[in-house]
Amino acid sequence: MGRLATALTRLRAALGSVSYPLALPSADEARRVGSALIAQLDDYLLPRLARLDAPLLVVVGGSTGAGKSTLVNSLVQAPVSTAGVLRPTTRSPVLVCHPDDVNWFGRGGLLPGLTRTGESSTASDALQVVATPAIGPGLALLDAPDVDSVVDQNRHLAAQLLAAADLWLFVTTAARYADAVPWELLTTARLRGTVIAMVLDRVPVGAAAEIAAHLGEMLTANDLGSAPLFVLPEIELDQRGLLPDSAIGPMRMWFAQLAGDANARGTVVRQTLDGALGALAPALGGLGEAADDQARASYALDDRVESAYRNALRNAEEGLRDGRMLRGEVLARWQEFVGTGDFLRSLESRVGHLRDRVAAALSGRPAPGRNLRVAMESQLVTLLRGVATDAAEQTYAAWHAHPAGAALLSPELQKASDDLPLRADRMIRDWQQWVLDLVRREASNKRAVARGAAYAVNGAGLAVMIAVFTSTALIPTGLEVAAGAGSAVAGQKVLEAIFGDQAIRTLAARARTELMTRFEELLAGEAARFGERTAAARHETSNGALLRQIAVEVEKARKELALTGSGS
């Protein structure tokens, strides 16, 4: 018993953690089944497993106008449940039990979510408990709302109450016994192993044998042939609105015998409980599949995000390598910073005398490269905004084409984040400072830079940044030539003069790698806007596996307990 209770408690927690957040075909049904299982665990399975000897609960259910309330009143010989011609009549359920059983039914062992009251109520969460010695101890009757009520709330409550029943007393009429809704519920009850008794009400005089025979055939065809069947004739009610004893007597006697026989009650309880437990495994299998659907959809959506932003990073890297960054404002500011064409030519022809002149030239500028740094910032921000916007548009379109993705979208995801330019600008300034710090560390033993102090470091750092904008550390090829090869060569020679050829290639490579790492982090933040919307569904993989695992544990514990004696 303890092992089964532990498994059911684990199941209750697991069901509460599964949400099926993505709009998939299996999601709505999974949420409905999951909610119903949680309600059944709380309302019936856990409390009933804890008290197998507790009084038997008979839930009286059926279609609108079938006469459920009249039947309950007639069985206890008192107008305890409102009956009338207006539909729906039963607003909140009424439970009738012996005074000795009020402690069990009144304190909320079963159906703990319903508030107990001693008076008639129209509140949807109220359960009126009526104690009367007219019903024997050990058994209670619960008059439920109509299973086909036009009021959704009543219909859902009826299903909840039927799932908490030890025994269904299902009431139908000669005119409506073949209706689809009752048979759907009866099939559910059969699959769940619930003990059922049938009442065929308002049968016209002379037609009882024929209608009862047809209903019996339908019950047999639906594997319900063993259910007791009570036939009530279409008869006039007495002054209190009750069925006469001649009509209700056999049913009252059957319930009296059941109430007085603890073994018989125990058999009913164990059969229904065992059936409800046995039905958990297939239900949980379906929920596990629905959870897997969620996980698969989330991975598919995440793949679309990853692909778009991986392309964005690739495009950003290409933008650094193809020479486009050495055009326009950046090229103009670099030429302004390095000097005139004559100076460039002198750098090319007099590399041997360059070390001292570089330091002097750079140190002679009071704020070297400020305009150049701003131009580079602007170019890099433009590059990032472009690739991030493209990635957002591609992801938005890909998600919009996916059934689950379309429901997750909102207009702001169709473009880059509003604050991306600010974050990109801050990131690029941080990177520029990183490059300057790198040059300072690498050049600490270079006399030329040492003599030039901060100006030389800034100049060399800017030259490294310019080197990042080409694919071969400033060796001009193709587009780089078109972008201003002379400036590129000058920058390379400035750096080679200070650091040496191999050192500058290494510095440029390190600076480019660092910049791409920062690009990647920034784009990852953009992609995360989409990832946040699939985060919940990604957990469904583990949830699906957990539900299947617990289903196995519950089934094994159920068989070991052998409530019905067969262990199967």
Side-chain angles (χ1 to χ4, degrees), residues 5 33 63 76 96 134 139 179 265 414 464 485 555:
V33 171
S63 304
V76 300
V96 187
L139 182 147
D179 287 359
R265 294 200 310 275
Q414 202 167 5
V464 169
E555 183 62 11

Side-chain angles (χ1 to χ4, degrees), residues 154-175:
N154 284 356
R155 196 167 60 252
H156 295 154
L157 180 56
Q160 178 186 358
L161 297 176
L162 288 170
D166 294 308
L167 185 152
W168 280 20
L169 182 63
F170 210 84
V171 185
T172 187
T173 66

Side-chain angles (χ1 to χ4, degrees), residues 309 413 417 419-420 423 518-532:
Y309 283 90
L413 291 178
S417 300
D419 66 342
L420 176 66
R423 290 187 290 115
R518 295 176 185 240
F519 274 12
E520 186 173 8
E521 292 175 355
L522 202 69
L523 290 173
E526 289 293 288
R529 299 182 303 152
F530 292 91
E532 290 169 356

Side-chain angles (χ1 to χ4, degrees), residues 7 20 46 148 159 163 195 206 212 222 256 264 307 318 353 355-356 370 377 495 514:
Y20 311 99
L46 287 169
D148 57 354
V195 177
N222 286 275
S307 176
E318 181 63 24
H353 301 287
R355 291 184 185 276
D356 294 337
R370 173 62 185 166
E377 289 173 20
L495 292 170
E514 177 66 21

Side-chain angles (χ1 to χ4, degrees), residues 266-549:
T267 298
V268 171
V269 166
R270 288 171 176 272
Q271 180 180 330
T272 296
L273 178 59
D274 186 68
L277 292 169
L280 289 177
L284 293 176
L287 293 183
E289 282 299 316
D292 292 345
D293 287 345
Q294 294 280 316
R296 283 190 291 266
S298 72
Y299 294 145
L301 293 172
D302 289 344
D303 283 345
R304 287 160 169 77
V305 177
E306 183 180 349
S307 176
Y309 283 90
R310 185 171 56 244
N311 288 337
L313 186 64
R314 189 182 300 117
N315 291 337
E317 185 173 18
E318 181 63 24
L320 293 179
R321 292 180 179 277
D322 65 9
R324 77 181 74 167
M325 304 297 291
L326 285 177
R327 301 186 181 111
E329 185 72 9
V330 171
L331 178 60
R333 294 306 180 187
W334 169 242
Q335 290 174 334
E336 177 185 84
F337 172 69
V338 172
T340 65
D342 290 340
F343 178 61
L344 296 179
R345 286 191 293 274
S346 72
L347 290 178
E348 293 174 343
S349 63
R350 301 180 61 189
V351 173
H353 301 287
L354 191 58
R355 291 184 185 276
D356 294 337
R357 292 192 56 188
V358 165
L362 295 178
S363 63
R365 303 178 188 275
R370 173 62 185 166
N371 291 337
L372 176 58
R373 288 181 64 174
V374 171
M376 283 191 285
E377 289 173 20
S378 177
Q379 282 278 63
L380 288 171
V381 169
T382 299
L383 175 63
L384 271 174
R385 288 184 67 179
V387 298
T389 297
D390 289 345
E393 291 175 350
Q394 291 170 18
T395 304
Y396 191 97
W399 275 30
H400 195 272
H402 191 287
L408 297 176
L409 292 173
S410 53
E412 69 272 12
L413 291 178
Q414 202 167 5
K415 60 180 183 177
S417 300
D418 290 340
D419 66 342
L420 176 66
L422 290 177
R423 290 187 290 115
D425 192 63
R426 183 165 54 248
M427 179 273 287
I428 291 163
R429 289 198 302 271
D430 290 344
W431 171 75
Q432 289 176 330
Q433 186 59 51
W434 182 91
V435 172
L436 294 178
D437 291 341
L438 173 67
V439 170
R440 186 177 293 108
R441 291 193 302 271
E442 292 295 323
S444 59
N445 61 347
K446 305 293 183 181
R447 287 185 300 107
V449 177
R451 286 199 300 272
Y455 298 131
V457 169
N458 287 343
L462 288 168
V464 169
M465 296 176 204
I466 286 292
V468 171
F469 286 2
T470 69
S471 61
T472 54
L474 295 177
I475 297 175
T477 61
L479 291 175
E480 294 168 16
V481 173
S487 298
V489 171
Q492 180 177 328
K493 292 185 180 299
V494 167
L495 292 170
E496 287 179 359
I498 299 174
F499 297 101
D501 177 69
Q502 186 57 44
I504 181 51
R505 292 176 185 274
T506 300
L507 285 174
R510 290 176 64 183
R512 183 182 294 110
T513 298
E514 177 66 21
L515 182 58
M516 289 308 303
T517 297
R518 295 176 185 240
F519 274 12
E520 186 173 8
E521 292 175 355
L522 202 69
L523 290 173
E526 289 293 288
R529 299 182 303 152
F530 292 91
E532 290 169 356
R533 306 199 175 202
T534 58
R538 283 195 293 274
H539 297 304
E540 300 299 271
T541 297
S542 58
N543 286 333
L546 178 61
L547 289 175
R548 284 187 284 269
Q549 176 190 342

